Amino acid sequence: MGDAIRYPNMGTVKKAAEIYGLSPVYIRRLCKEGKIRYVNAGHMWLVNLDSLARYFEQGDPVPAEPGQTAHGIRRQWG
């Protein structure tokens, strides 16, 4: 019963842009920069809408400032 396959929620760049009120150029840029998942289907780009939603919820990771890392590990304060 727990072996159900969950397929990603995919949509065109145009659909993704309409959902979030953004330009298709901006959505394509996010794809090219590797910030959201997508696939090329012939001449069309299909955006993983779940990945796009997650990107807008979490944003870009905050880069560590120099001196706050030790051997590539960022120090947590708090």
Side-chain angles (χ1 to χ4, degrees), residues 33-71:
E33 292 174 354
K35 295 182 179 184
I36 59 174
R37 293 178 171 263
Y38 75 101
V39 295
N40 285 329
H43 68 281
M44 188 182 329
W45 291 26
L46 294 177
V47 176
N48 182 318
L49 298 174
D50 298 329
S51 171
L52 183 60
R54 207 170 19 257
Y55 174 77
F56 287 131
E57 287 173 1
Q58 298 173 357
D60 288 326
V62 178
E65 294 179 18
Q68 290 187 333
T69 61
H71 306 288

